[in-house]
Each structure stands twice: as C-alpha cells, then as structure tokens.
Amino acid sequence: MALRWWWRCGASSRRAPPLGSLPCLRPPGPGPRTPPPTPSAAMCDFTQRSSTLSFPEICNTLWRFHHTSTSHLCSCSKTVSDEKYQDPFQLGRKDLKNLYEDIKKELLVSTAELKEMCDYYFDGKGKAFRPMIVVLMARACNIHHNNSREVQASQRSVAIIAEMIHTASLVHDDVIDDANSRRGKMTVNRIWGERKAVLAGDFILSAASVALARIGNTTIISVLAQVIEDLVRGEFLQLGSKENENERFAHYLEKTFKKTASLIANSCKAVSILGCPDPKVHEIAYQYGKNVGIAFQLIDDVLDFTSCADHLGKPAAADLKLGLATGPVLFACRQFPEMNAMIMRRFSKPGDVERAWKYVLQSDGVQQTTYLAQRYCHEATREISKLRPSPEREALIQLTEMVLMRDK
C-alpha cells in the first residue's frame, strides 16, 4: 500500500454526507501561517462547524492538522500502549465460539440445495469482523454501565444477525455486480445461477429477521431494520452519480455509510441499548461503529488499487470495471480533470478503465483516501475513549489501527 501511517487524525459529523467538501483534503500551497492549535482542539472544532465552514477554511484546518508536529500527533494517537495492547480477535473469541454453527441452526431447511447454498459462505473461514466488533462493544458497554463482564444472550444474537445480514447483502451484491469470485472462491451466482442466488440471499435475510423478532425488543427491531433500508438505499445510490464534484463526493460518502457503515453502527447501537440505559452510551456506540465502518470501506477502496487479485480474493480494479468512482478516483480527478467525463459515462468506453487506473496511481488519490480513513478512525477512537477503561475498550481502539493496516 502506498501509504501506511500509524497515527490517526480526523473527525466526522453526525452523518456521513456532511463531509461532502472532503475533496479539499489536498494541502494548500506554501505560505506563512499562524501556529497550529493542538490536534484535538482543531479537529473537535472542525467536527462542530464542518457544515458551515467554507471550502478554503476546511482545507486550511485539515492542512494544519495534517502538518502538526509528530509529538502532538503521537500524544493524540497512542491511546493503546504496549502494556494495554489487546488483540480484538483473541478477546472476542470466547463470545464468537460456535458462531457459524449457531448461524446454520438459524438456517435449517429441508431443501438440500438451498441449505448448501446458505452454508456456502458460513464455512467458518471468514474473519467475522462485524460480530467481533459487536461482542466487544457489548462487553465495553456492559462494563461501563455496571461492571458486568458477560455478554447477554440477546447481545450475542445481534452479532449473529449482523453477520447474517452482511452475508445476505454479499450474495445479492454478487448478483447485481455479476461477480465471479468472493473470498477467494466462486460466487453463489456463478455456481447455482442468479435466480437461486437471489432466493438464497432472501432466505438468509428472512432467517435473520426471525432471529431479530425473537429478541422481543421493539427498539432493537427498529434499529436493525434501519440497516436493511440503508442497504437498499445505498445500492440505489451506487447506481447513480453526480456531475458536480463536491456533490459527487458527498454522494460517495453517503453510499459508503449506507452500504457498509450502517450495519456496524446500528449493530453497535443495538447491543449498547441492551446493555446500558444511557442514551449517551448509545450514541458513543453508534458513532464508533459509523466511523470504523466508513474507514473500513475507504481502505477497501484503496486496496482495489494497491493489492493483487489473489490477495484480495476478488479481481483488482473491480470497482472501475463496474463503473464505480470510489475515493481514490474522486481525489485523482482533482489532478486529472479529464477523468470527469469518464466518471459520468461510468468508464464504459474502451480504454477508460486502464486510463483511470493509470491516473489514480499517478495522483495522490490513494494517499488522500488513506488519510481520510485515518480521520474517521481517529474519531472512532475519540468516541470509544469516553467509555470506562476496559480490555474491550482498548481492543476496540486497537481495531482502528488494524482497519488502517489491513491488506485484504
């Protein structure tokens, strides 16, 4: 990857779209400047006023924060010391034991072919990234509320439901994208055909809905139902585009939130509601999940340009071939305006994909997208740090580093 920074910086507002002016991330030209404020003060102010700042003010704030001395940045980011280091996957392993077996129990069907299709992605070889965040958040919120170190059965059910919703969305995405591979193996639609793949995705989603209803909490049902609505709206957003450069970036971030971050944000919120009555804690959990989720997808978009197909488990340049303009492309467009026409025609002309690929690698699009992901991770850390200290809280902080450093 072109850029791997250990320190994190940045912030975000209540929802993903207000960051629509982020194409201004490129630092302004040289010139005398007043001494920068501390990173936390600058970025907290940015968070509160981002919707009212002019583009030059936003650019200048980001430039000053980006160029703050290393000592300031280290004091801001080194929330996890060597002594406090907690491996999120190791810490969440106990609560995720038999996760996929429990999911398969939710998918009991009499039709052998449908069962085989549903079991295809639930083979126990996935990272279980989303369930792991959910159980860690559950423990962190329980400890914060009454020092309880046990995950409630209903909270673990949310983790299972989150993985089921996520997998159903992958099955449907592969049909929409006519994808050939996923996680290093053939997609369901390639093996069983598109019609059966759609039905399998529907069935997984319906089983998740039944599991959700069994929790018996109308608030939790409402929170997680929002995820399904956002997934559909996000898919529709992906089908469209905007001519205006700034609207285009806001459109991209909103799509990123709805398709990826909403599931993590609302799952974290759900377990916080089940474990703690304080609305402030619910907001902390939601904001952490939202920011980590957006950062995760931003890095995913970077990897489409920096990681080989074998490592990713899916074809490289997949987004360009689908006609999608992701973060690296949108940032590169500022340096190569001729990309605007290609974006609007969704890279449909012969040679468009190859030329866009070249422009992105010649630009700082990868670095700028990575920097943006760091900002979101920093905000996630700032939010979760409001909870009472615990191994799970530290693991969630460490997770933001893992999101930035992943290579597949």
Side-chain angles (χ1 to χ4, degrees):
M1 187 169 167
L3 194 58
R4 296 291 195 190
W5 294 317
W6 274 102
W7 47 269
R8 304 177 299 272
C9 42
S12 72
S13 50
R14 175 65 177 83
R15 301 282 291 178
L19 288 168
S21 49
L22 287 169
C24 290
L25 277 169
R26 168 181 282 281
R33 288 179 175 82
T34 57
T38 63
S40 58
M43 296 316 296
C44 286
D45 181 63
F46 176 83
T47 303
Q48 295 167 2
R49 300 196 299 128
S50 60
S51 60
T52 59
L53 292 174
S54 68
F55 288 175
E57 287 174 320
I58 292 173
C59 291
N60 192 48
T61 299
L62 294 172
W63 187 93
R64 284 185 286 137
F65 187 76
H66 182 59
H67 289 78
T68 304
S69 68
T70 304
S71 61
H72 279 152
L73 288 168
C74 289
S75 67
C76 178
S77 67
K78 286 188 178 178
T79 313
V80 184
S81 65
D82 292 338
E83 295 76 14
K84 287 184 176 180
Y85 177 84
Q86 298 288 343
D87 183 343
F89 290 94
Q90 197 70 23
L91 202 58
R93 180 176 296 178
K94 173 187 173 184
D95 298 312
L96 298 181
K97 186 179 179 181
N98 301 323
L99 172 76
Y100 291 105
E101 287 78 2
D102 291 341
I103 289 176
K104 290 176 183 178
K105 290 176 184 176
E106 299 287 348
L107 298 169
L108 285 177
V109 288
S110 56
T111 308
E113 187 177 35
L114 180 57
K115 182 181 187 305
E116 188 179 0
M117 293 170 68
C118 292
D119 290 351
Y120 188 65
Y121 283 146
F122 297 120
D123 56 6
K125 297 179 181 178
K127 297 184 293 292
F129 176 74
R130 289 155 188 81
M132 185 262 298
I133 291 180
V134 173
V135 296
L136 290 176
M137 181 62 73
R139 282 181 174 271
C141 291
N142 293 352
I143 291 169
H144 178 84
H145 174 52
N146 59 11
N147 209 30
S148 170
R149 297 187 176 272
E150 294 301 317
V151 172
Q152 300 172 22
S154 57
Q155 290 175 318
R156 188 174 184 277
S157 292
V158 171
I160 290 173
I161 292 163
E163 185 69 358
M164 293 174 73
I165 293 174
H166 171 61
T167 302
S169 74
L170 295 184
V171 175
H172 286 157
D173 277 355
D174 288 342
V175 173
I176 293 169
D177 299 341
D178 194 26
N180 294 316
S181 62
R182 166 80 66 178
R183 296 175 177 173
K185 58 185 183 181
M186 291 180 67
T187 56
V188 169
N189 48 293
R190 274 287 168 257
I191 299 173
W192 286 281
E194 290 187 358
R195 291 184 180 182
K196 289 182 179 179
V198 170
L199 293 173
D202 290 346
F203 179 73
I204 295 171
L205 198 56
S206 67
S209 300
V210 172
L212 177 58
R214 271 204 309 272
I215 293 177
N217 185 312
T218 56
T219 302
I220 302 303
I221 292 172
S222 177
V223 168
L224 292 180
Q226 183 64 49
V227 173
I228 299 173
E229 178 185 332
D230 285 344
L231 283 169
V232 176
R233 290 184 180 274
E235 198 62 53
F236 270 95
L237 285 170
Q238 185 163 282
L239 295 174
S241 187
K242 298 285 185 181
E243 288 193 35
N244 179 275
E245 183 179 313
N246 295 322
E247 288 182 5
R248 190 185 295 154
F249 212 92
H251 184 91
Y252 164 65
L253 287 174
E254 183 179 6
K255 182 267 297 181
T256 297
F257 170 77
K258 291 186 181 302
K259 284 201 65 177
T260 303
S262 174
L263 174 60
I264 302 174
N266 284 295
S267 298
C268 286
K269 181 178 181 179
V271 292
S272 74
I273 292 170
L274 290 168
C276 177
D278 188 352
K280 292 181 181 178
V281 173
H282 307 163
E283 183 66 9
I284 289 169
Y286 178 88
Q287 290 294 332
Y288 174 86
K290 182 195 78 170
N291 285 287
V292 164
I294 293 176
F296 185 93
Q297 186 58 50
L298 290 171
I299 295 300
D300 205 61
D301 293 343
V302 163
L303 291 175
D304 200 43
F305 291 93
T306 62
S307 189
C308 66
D310 289 342
H311 208 51
L312 278 177
K314 59 182 179 180
D319 293 328
L320 284 177
K321 292 171 185 174
L322 290 171
L324 304 179
T326 57
V329 173
L330 296 177
F331 279 120
C333 190
R334 292 180 62 81
Q335 293 169 264
F336 298 97
E338 54 267 40
M339 293 181 71
N340 275 300
M342 287 189 278
I343 290 172
M344 291 311 299
R345 62 176 177 257
R346 299 179 73 86
F347 312 104
S348 58
K349 283 190 176 181
D352 276 358
V353 170
E354 292 75 15
R355 278 190 294 151
W357 175 276
K358 182 181 71 174
Y359 286 142
V360 169
L361 296 185
Q362 288 176 351
S363 74
D364 64 357
V366 165
Q367 291 91 333
Q368 291 287 345
T369 307
T370 304
Y371 172 46
L372 179 56
Q374 291 165 355
R375 288 183 51 215
Y376 279 108
C377 281
H378 175 87
E379 181 64 9
T381 296
R382 192 179 73 84
E383 288 291 338
I384 200 65
S385 296
K386 297 173 183 177
L387 295 184
R388 179 185 299 179
S390 67
E392 287 75 14
R393 189 195 75 166
E394 299 306 321
L396 288 168
I397 293 171
Q398 178 61 26
L399 188 72
T400 64
E401 297 285 6
M402 297 175 70
V403 165
L404 294 174
M405 298 301 293
R406 72 189 185 95
D407 57 6
K408 62 180 179 178

